[in-house]
Structures are given as structure tokens and as C-alpha cells.
Amino acid sequence: MGVFFYVFAGVGSTASFILSGTAQLNGLGSLFQVGTAYAFGILFAIVVCAPTSGGHFNPAMTIAHLIFKRVTPAKALRYIVAQVLGAYVACLLVYVQWKDLIMEVIEILEAAGKLDSVMFTANGPAGIFAIYATPGVSLGRIFLNEFVCDFLIGLVIWACLDPTNFSAPPAAGPWIISFAYAVVVWGYSPVTVATNAARDVGARLMALTIWGMPASGGSYAAIAALTNIPATLLAVAFYEFVLADSSRVVTPIHADFLAGHLAHEEHSQGVIRETSASPNLDEKSHEQIIERV
């Protein structure tokens, strides 16, 4: 559901941006609008869904949690499948909602003799959903762009998840993460960037469903789908081994936040603990919560 939120917001905004450019309807969309839409979509996803799932909206982050044994392999697999499905369904809905204008733009391109050259590009109708390499940019440069952007996003997310980080209290985390994504869209999407394997794979599967194999994306598809994972894992490792400090203490507000997540997790497993349900935790309760987490 979380991936659905931000893909629905971002792809819907991308539709107005790309279609207005292709149909030469100035003012209908902009790159700033697209970045802002993705930011608010991610914000909504975290606020609505993170209290239940813990914020698993990215396969790379789910794999990182699996490595640190914060999630079981079976649950990690379910999360990743749900993430891809959320992106797929969101893109299908956007396609249905925009279909009339999409078909109109396709007719305009066909009449101008540009359909074959534009359709499956970053500026074509299929580019609303699946991500395609920017013409004229080498795959090596696209890979570097993707890796650096994903590394920085992963670093920001992991910093926000650090319960000893006084600069990122739980209430601020969703905003910080959202604007990290927006900065990447605003500054680096013209070079081509995917940022999330679930968003890319789900959207590409949707494009394949509608337009068939021509929508596959060629050699770039592997970069879009896979680069996010090693880049994010490297960011997590960098934070844990370079930036994290075991001497810092868990802040009280983070302890309360962790207590809420732990209470939900234990309740879903049929375990009820009195300390998990207490709205005002004392220092001893904080220590018990941290030990169990």
C-alpha cells in the first residue's frame, strides 16, 4: 500500500508533465511538480503505512533489514512482492485515469510520424510509467547517476531509522526522507534515475502488460531494477561502520516510538505485554523495550 501511495502520486504527476510536453500544452506540468508529488506520495506512504509495516516501501531497505535480522526471510519476501504489486496497480490506475489523453497524444505522434521514435523513451507515453534511458546519455553515466543518488537516499533513510539520532526524531523522519527523494528527482532525473526497484519493476511490468515487449527498456532495464539494491546496502554499511556511534543513547521519544512498533509486532503474534501498552514509559521500561528490539 505504501508503494502504491507514492507511485500513484508521482506517476500521476509525471503523466501531466510528459503529455503536456508532447502535446505542447505549456503549463500543465513541470519537473518541480513531479519531484514534489513524489515527495508527498512518500510522506503519505510513511505516515499511513509505516506504523503497520515498519516502512518497507523499497526492496533494498527490506533486504537491509533482513541482513540485520530485523525481519524474517518469509516476511521479507512478502514485503517485496507487495511492493512490486503496489507499483503495478498504481500504474494501471493512472493509465486508466489518463487513458483518453494518452491515446490522444499517441494519435498526435502518429500523425506527425514520430510515434516509433518517441513512444518508448523518457519523453514518450510509455515513459510516464516505465523509466527509459535518456537519449544521448551513456549507460555508464546513467549507472553512476543511479548509484550515487540511491546511496545518498539510503544514507538519509538509515539515519532517520537510527534511534540515537537526535537530529531526526520520528515525527521529522517522513519529511526528511520525502525531501531526499524530491532533491534527487529535481536534480538528477533528467540524467535518468529510478531510485526504487519496486517502483521500476512494477511499472515496467505494467508497461509490458499494455504495450508488450517493445516496452521492456532494453539494457537499461537491469540498471534501473538492480542498482538500487547494492547502492542502498553500501549506504547502510557506511552509516553503521562510519557514522553510527554505539556510545550515543536512545532518545526517549525514539524509545516510545520503538515501543509502539514492538507492541504492534507482539500483538500480531498474539503476545501481550503490559509495558508495551503503557503510554508513559519510565527509564526501566525504556531499557526493557530497547533490549527486546
Side-chain angles (χ1 to χ4, degrees):
M1 189 66 189
V3 177
F4 173 90
F5 264 113
Y6 93 81
V7 172
F8 185 76
V11 171
S13 184
T14 302
S16 66
F17 178 50
I18 290 180
L19 293 178
S20 65
T22 305
Q24 297 182 343
L25 301 174
N26 296 327
L28 191 58
S30 68
L31 184 61
F32 179 79
Q33 172 191 304
V34 174
T36 303
Y38 270 111
F40 277 101
I42 291 167
L43 177 64
F44 299 155
I46 296 174
V47 170
V48 175
C49 302
T52 300
S53 72
H56 288 266
F57 310 135
N58 184 327
M61 276 295 157
T62 298
I63 293 171
H65 279 75
L66 178 63
I67 292 173
F68 281 88
K69 298 182 179 181
R70 297 179 183 179
V71 64
T72 64
K75 182 172 285 189
L77 179 60
R78 291 199 300 271
Y79 279 148
I80 292 173
V81 171
Q83 290 159 11
V84 174
L85 182 61
Y88 181 83
V89 172
C91 287
L92 276 180
L93 281 176
V94 173
Y95 175 77
V96 172
Q97 291 172 258
W98 279 88
K99 186 175 181 180
D100 291 339
L101 287 175
I102 291 173
M103 297 308 296
E104 183 178 334
V105 168
I106 289 176
E107 291 175 1
I108 292 173
L109 291 172
E110 191 170 18
K114 299 179 179 179
L115 183 61
D116 292 339
S117 62
V118 174
M119 182 66 188
F120 300 108
T121 68
N123 298 317
I128 296 170
F129 309 98
I131 302 172
Y132 298 97
T134 301
V137 182
S138 69
L139 290 181
R141 197 176 302 280
I142 290 174
F143 171 79
L144 177 64
N145 186 66
E146 182 75 43
F147 195 94
V148 172
C149 290
D150 294 345
F151 178 88
L152 293 176
I153 290 174
L155 204 59
V156 170
I157 293 174
W158 209 252
C160 289
L161 294 177
D162 183 355
T164 69
N165 190 345
F166 286 82
S167 298
W175 291 93
I176 297 170
I177 294 170
S178 297
F179 280 104
Y181 274 94
V183 166
V184 166
V185 174
W186 292 332
Y188 301 97
S189 60
V191 183
T192 307
V193 67
T195 73
N196 187 318
R199 182 260 180 265
D200 177 75
V201 173
R204 199 165 303 281
L205 288 174
M206 174 270 167
L208 288 168
T209 300
I210 301 298
W211 292 293
M213 286 305 296
S216 64
S219 301
Y220 167 69
I223 295 175
L226 300 176
T227 305
N228 171 251
I229 296 173
T232 301
L233 294 180
L234 181 61
V236 170
F238 182 85
Y239 188 89
E240 288 292 331
F241 293 110
V242 178
L243 299 178
D245 185 353
S246 60
S247 65
R248 292 198 301 248
V249 298
V250 176
T251 67
I253 191 169
H254 275 103
D256 292 337
F257 180 74
L258 292 172
H261 276 289
L262 184 60
H264 169 75
E265 183 67 21
E266 291 181 340
H267 180 74
S268 66
Q269 297 174 2
V271 178
I272 303 297
R273 295 180 185 268
E274 184 178 351
T275 55
S276 298
S278 174
N280 297 307
L281 301 177
D282 55 23
E283 185 175 348
K284 183 178 180 181
S285 297
H286 282 160
E287 293 176 356
Q288 293 174 344
I289 292 295
I290 294 168
E291 287 176 359
R292 298 214 305 275
V293 172

